[in-house]
Amino acid sequence: QTCALPILGQGSKEVVTVTGAVSKTPRGGSDATRVAVVVTLRIKPGWHIYANPTGVDGIAPTRIALDPASGWSIDRVEFPPGVAKALESSGHEKVALYEGKVDLVVHLKPGRAARPPAVAPLKFTVQFQACNDQHCLAPAKLGVTVPLQGGSAR
């Protein structure tokens, strides 16, 4: 199996793609305010992004934010454990990385509004830094909008 060599100066959008889908929607009763969204990061072969947590001080982890205008806020995020690897740039210390496909499960709670809308666009921003064995791209932010009424988005 062969992989094409990455092109220097290649942008983050060519290295990482972000999609999202609602995995649990609000219902009546005790589940009325429970929403979970799976935000999927797909990282091009030969590249990685830093996990959350990275396990090393001074290296910014992958983060996710939600636009508060949706009426919802992030309660907690389930970041999967990264793969620990020693990189030339970090010396002999192992850094937790994400490679390939990574699912972040974002649990939402009502925002400041007493009743968040049952149908709303959820606008997420994922912040990360993509690197390969030779160099790192500048830290980047990619957005994805997920419709709350089920379905998926890119």
Side-chain angles (χ1 to χ4, degrees):
Q1 179 177 343
T2 61
C3 295
L5 291 176
I7 300 168
L8 289 178
Q10 187 175 21
S12 295
K13 288 183 181 179
E14 286 78 35
V15 174
V16 178
T17 57
V18 181
T19 58
V22 173
S23 67
K24 187 173 184 182
T25 57
R27 299 185 192 109
S30 63
D31 279 350
T33 59
R34 294 186 185 184
V35 175
V37 176
V38 177
V39 175
T40 301
L41 310 176
R42 285 184 176 78
I43 304 152
K44 190 173 181 176
W47 291 84
H48 62 264
I49 62 175
Y50 295 109
N52 188 336
T54 63
V56 176
D57 290 337
I59 296 180
T62 296
R63 296 188 175 142
I64 189 163
L66 173 64
D67 181 347
S70 68
W72 296 87
S73 64
I74 294 176
D75 182 32
R76 63 187 166 86
V77 179
E78 293 177 34
F79 288 97
V83 176
K85 291 190 175 182
L87 304 174
E88 285 185 36
S89 60
S90 64
H92 298 292
E93 201 167 10
K94 289 190 175 185
V95 181
L97 309 172
Y98 295 141
E99 299 173 310
K101 179 182 173 237
V102 179
D103 289 330
L104 310 179
V105 181
V106 184
H107 297 271
L108 304 179
K109 62 183 179 182
R112 295 180 184 214
R115 289 184 165 177
V119 178
L122 302 171
K123 296 179 182 179
F124 293 94
T125 302
V126 180
Q127 185 175 348
F128 62 91
Q129 185 168 22
C131 302
N132 64 19
D133 290 340
Q134 278 77 43
H135 69 280
C136 290
L137 300 175
K141 292 181 182 180
L142 291 179
V144 62
T145 300
V146 180
L148 181 54
Q149 195 66 20
S152 63
R154 294 176 194 227

